[in-house]
Amino acid sequence: MAFSGQQRRAARIGAVLLSALGLALPAAVATGTSATAASWPSATGQQAVSSTIKVSGTRDGGMVRYYGSGALGSGGQDEDQGPLFELADGAVLKNVILGAPAADGIHCKGTCTLQNVWWEDVGEDAATFKGTSASQTMTIDGGGARKASDKVFQHNGPGRMVIRNFQVQDFGKLYRSCGNCSKQYQRHVVIENVTVTAPGKSLAGINSNYGDTARLTKVTIVGDSSRKIVPCERYKGVTSGEPSKIGSGPDGVNCLYSASDITYR
């Protein structure tokens, strides 16, 4: 995408204004290029969280860094630990940085939006999506995550997740449809305009036996010349025990993308 001189000047002015407010300007705008992710932001302050913050409606964090303390400050990988934020159905959380320790990140109880949310050091998971409605949509728009030893986004409830304008680096799995939840659902994920920086293992893990789908488009993978990061993995999900991996790569049914949807650099 080409930018005119006037557009580039406007972008530079916008970058200065947003910088003064402690906000990050998307890299594609800031540099006048077709880059796909925003710059990592600087925190405007810090706040310790000793008990889960419950959000309904819209909460704007103003780019403050939140980190766990007390019961939320162990820094462990306990599956049962609480989140820093819990979002009610329909809630929006934006302009937030999650520092370390990040506990179990964010829990969404239904439809929710995470806008310009950044995880500096992912805890158990960056965010877990629950709820029970097949029509719920969970949107991650902007932001980024790094240092996720396992999963970034865990999808336990039904519905659709959209991950767009996002960046991830040093991670295990970007998205995983729950492989062994006691109640299973059909789940769908869209991964769009995402920049991925190695090391990492996979972008999407889905359960094809439950009819899950993963649609990938405009994905850029950086620093993976041997192409070890798997764009889409298919599993046979279960309600007890461990799921089994049954395939990977585009198949036109569950893993929906083509070679042109993935750019390596």
Side-chain angles (χ1 to χ4, degrees):
M1 175 169 51
F3 286 75
S4 69
Q6 185 176 6
Q7 287 172 315
R8 286 192 292 271
R9 286 192 295 273
R12 285 193 293 270
I13 293 169
V16 171
L17 292 174
L18 285 180
S19 177
L21 294 173
L23 301 178
L25 186 69
V29 177
T31 63
T33 71
S34 58
T36 57
S39 301
W40 282 84
S42 298
T44 59
Q46 296 198 121
Q47 181 175 329
V49 180
S50 58
S51 61
T52 299
I53 299 171
K54 297 190 177 183
V55 179
S56 58
T58 298
R59 181 183 180 114
D60 188 330
M63 302 312 295
V64 167
R65 177 185 293 113
Y66 294 82
Y67 63 93
S69 67
L72 298 178
S74 71
Q77 292 290 308
D78 183 0
E79 292 278 358
D80 298 320
Q81 66 185 305
L84 297 186
F85 292 92
E86 181 182 271
L87 275 60
D89 186 26
V92 177
L93 180 66
K94 62 182 181 179
N95 301 325
V96 165
I97 299 172
L98 276 71
D104 201 27
I106 298 169
H107 288 183
C108 281
K109 301 185 75 174
T111 289
C112 68
T113 299
L114 307 180
Q115 182 180 350
N116 197 36
V117 174
W118 301 82
W119 291 262
E120 294 178 328
D121 189 341
V122 173
E124 165 55 22
D125 299 316
T128 301
F129 298 94
K130 301 183 176 184
T132 58
S133 173
S135 63
Q136 66 191 20
T137 299
M138 298 133 290
T139 303
I140 301 100
D141 191 355
R146 58 191 178 193
K147 300 181 183 178
S149 60
D150 190 9
K151 301 174 295 294
V152 178
F153 298 120
Q154 174 75 21
H155 194 166
N156 291 347
R160 179 173 179 259
M161 187 186 300
V162 177
I163 306 166
R164 66 189 181 209
N165 308 322
F166 193 78
Q167 64 171 296
V168 62
Q169 59 189 39
D170 190 8
F171 66 103
K173 301 176 179 69
L174 174 58
Y175 167 91
R176 181 66 171 102
S177 172
C178 183
N180 57 2
C181 283
S182 58
K183 185 172 184 179
Q184 290 285 25
Y185 303 94
Q186 184 178 90
R187 308 180 181 100
H188 306 281
V189 62
V190 174
I191 299 173
E192 178 182 13
N193 202 37
V194 170
T195 297
V196 179
T197 302
K201 294 181 180 178
S202 67
L203 300 186
I206 58 175
N207 305 314
S208 55
N209 58 314
Y210 296 128
D212 292 357
T213 63
R215 186 177 299 275
L216 283 64
T217 182
K218 298 180 183 177
V219 173
T220 301
I221 300 179
V222 180
D224 185 28
S225 58
S226 57
R227 303 195 178 187
K228 292 182 179 180
I229 298 174
V230 182
C232 185
E233 296 180 318
R234 296 184 295 279
Y235 290 83
K236 181 179 180 181
V238 295
T239 54
S240 64
E242 292 299 320
S244 55
K245 184 178 175 180
I246 56 178
S248 63
D251 63 355
V253 178
N254 303 104
C255 291
L256 305 173
Y257 67 99
S258 63
S260 63
D261 292 310
I262 312 291
T263 299
Y264 291 87
R265 60 177 175 86

